[in-house]
Amino acid sequence: MEVEKLRNDLKLDEGIELYPYKDTVGKITIGIGRNLTDRGITSGEAMFMLNNDIAIAVSMLEVNVPWWKDMPEECQRALANMCFNMGWPTLSKFVNMLASLEEGQYREAATHALNSRWAMQVGARATRIAELYKKGSI
């Protein structure tokens, strides 16, 4: 069988949906007929998506806060984690935290991160991220 021809047939029959939707029998579906309700995704697919999403977060930081690469590695990880979690548009509203990071005031940045609605929403994740910022001061 010619897989490329089958691939083209399936694209034609299923269409390409980049956001989840309910199919004709109510199953959550995405892509080209991927039934998330019954099949889900594989670990490899999850890692592929993770790598793409990390690349997007890093790209957003490189464009919007180019000085981030000058921070200690732990602080870079913390900021990338936050950008991954909330996206740049929301992260950009952390004006005081970002200013503290740019000035190398990592403990102060940790305090700003923890004194936010985001920290209340994500709980232990915020605490771990704040600890990474604090390690940048050591």
Side-chain angles (χ1 to χ4, degrees):
M1 176 181 68
E2 292 186 46
V3 174
E4 185 61 31
K5 286 185 178 180
L6 175 60
R7 186 178 293 119
N8 289 334
D9 291 343
L10 293 171
K11 284 195 269 186
L12 177 66
D13 293 334
E14 297 280 348
I16 299 175
E17 296 293 335
L18 303 181
Y19 292 89
Y21 67 96
K22 288 189 178 182
D23 69 9
T24 57
V25 295
K27 305 285 185 170
I28 303 295
T29 306
I30 196 168
I32 302 172
R34 170 60 68 91
N35 177 341
L36 293 175
T37 301
D38 295 333
R39 183 165 174 219
I41 62 173
T42 66
S43 295
E45 290 164 331
M47 292 307 297
F48 179 82
M49 290 190 295
L50 173 62
N51 289 334
N52 285 344
D53 291 342
I54 288 171
I56 290 168
V58 166
S59 174
M60 290 292 98
L61 293 173
E62 288 173 353
V63 166
N64 294 290
V65 287
W67 46 263
W68 87 292
K69 286 288 193 176
D70 298 328
M71 296 190 309
E73 191 274 339
E74 294 89 354
C75 296
Q76 290 178 23
R77 281 187 15 235
L79 190 60
N81 190 320
M82 289 180 75
C83 191
F84 177 95
N85 179 239
M86 67 181 82
W88 174 252
T90 302
L91 180 59
S92 70
K93 296 176 183 168
F94 282 64
V95 176
N96 294 328
M97 184 195 78
L98 291 169
S100 294
L101 289 173
E102 187 173 15
E103 295 168 6
Q105 301 298 318
Y106 303 122
R107 288 189 176 281
E108 187 176 305
T111 300
H112 288 303
L114 290 172
N115 291 333
S116 68
R117 184 171 35 151
W118 166 80
M120 291 186 294
Q121 293 169 339
V122 300
R125 181 182 197 162
T127 303
R128 284 191 303 275
I129 287 172
E131 287 304 314
L132 286 174
Y133 286 138
K134 289 176 186 176
K135 284 182 182 178
S137 294
I138 297 172

